[in-house]
Amino acid sequence: MCPQTWRRASACDPDRSALVDSGRLRPAIARAVPLDRVPDAYRHATGPATGKVVLTTSAAR
């Protein structure tokens, strides 16, 4: 187990890093929502869990 410090995941688990690099392990992002629509993101996030909700800024669009 990796100590509770701020490290890259690959430093703690090289196997996970290889899975991410190969594309076999991907984050479950259900929806990307603009920052000005936080209420919509909250409503989506409080429903059944199907993935994470990501808030975007105008620079990230």
Side-chain angles (χ1 to χ4, degrees):
M1 171 122 333
C2 186
Q4 295 297 321
T5 59
W6 292 100
R7 295 184 184 198
R8 286 179 36 101
S10 61
C12 299
D13 189 354
D15 294 330
R16 184 178 357 164
S17 179
L19 289 172
V20 170
D21 291 341
S22 70
R24 292 175 46 201
L25 179 65
R26 294 178 293 164
I29 298 174
R31 180 177 291 181
V33 179
L35 192 57
D36 60 343
R37 295 184 52 209
V38 169
D40 294 334
Y42 181 77
R43 279 192 292 278
H44 180 77
T46 57
T50 57
K52 301 297 181 189
V53 175
V54 177
L55 295 175
T56 60
T57 62
S58 58
R61 288 185 194 168

